[in-house]
Amino acid sequence: QKEVEQDPGPLSVPEGAIVSLNCTYSNSAFQYFMWYRQYSRKGPELLMYTYSSGNKEDGRFTAQVDKSSKYISLFIRDSQPSDSATYLCAMTTQGRDDKIIFGKGTRLHILP
Amino acid sequence: SAVISQKPSRDICQRGTSLTIQCQVDSQVTMMFWYRQQPGQSLTLIATANQGSEATYESGFVIDKFPISRPNLTFSTLTVSNMSPEDSSIYLCSVDGLGTEAFFGQGTRLTVV
């Protein structure tokens, strides 16, 4: 079983819809969870950063972590065509020197 | 967050040649990281570069193939040596944030023909 699983998509939704992106993981030691957005021909850009379980909201974006299920989600409300990108989940353990493990990324298309 | 400049942004190279990728950060950082992003694959850590010491390579990556320099706290280079088409990928430079998050440069898209 891979450490981090993420559906590669593509996921196409109409403008204005709520988007749900998800990752599952196997290592219960992961404590820090991140979502990155990557536009074509650009490097990944940090969107959300959460510690342990719970929700975190930033504008139209909500990150949710369920450690009991080893499942994390990113919700995008009122989706816009500019949200079209690849979204990568990432996670790491407590130690600052520990590696960050990335999902493969989900390609998202918001249809105008 | 740090501003990371990476160059070249893209290149097409002949097999058997080498390419050196440069990464410049706008602030001093202890560690810099080099990742590879192959199509349909996760970001994979190649090595960690500390200033003043040899880079630490991950399993499957060796110094002869991916020599790294870290001459100061704001700059690093990654060389992809003796390239083959399998080395075609995006190469990314990264630094740590205040916590455990990572920040990335814009990447170098390498095509080996």
Side-chain angles (χ1 to χ4, degrees), chain A residues 4 32 34 36 38 40-46 49 88 92-97 99-100 102-105, chain B residues 10 31 33 35 37 40-45 58 90 92 96-107 109:
Chain A
V4 178
Y32 297 89
M34 292 149 278
Y36 288 84
Q38 187 174 21
S40 180
R41 292 177 166 72
K42 299 290 185 184
E45 166 197 12
L46 182 66
Y49 174 65
L88 299 95
T92 188
T93 58
Q94 190 80 12
R96 186 179 164 85
D97 293 334
K99 283 195 301 183
I100 299 174
F102 291 85
K104 292 184 179 182
Chain B
R10 60 193 305 174
M31 292 192 289
F33 306 87
Y35 285 84
Q37 187 178 30
Q41 300 300 316
S42 310
L43 279 165
T44 302
L45 182 64
E58 297 299 311
I90 298 172
L92 291 151
D96 278 340
L98 292 177
T100 59
E101 72 274 27
F103 295 100
F104 290 89
Q106 72 272 30
R109 182 178 295 269

Side-chain angles (χ1 to χ4, degrees), chain A residues 25-39:
Chain A
Y25 63 94
S26 58
N27 187 351
S28 59
F30 287 141
Q31 295 275 18
Y32 297 89
F33 304 90
M34 292 149 278
W35 285 95
Y36 288 84
R37 177 176 61 196
Q38 187 174 21
Y39 291 115

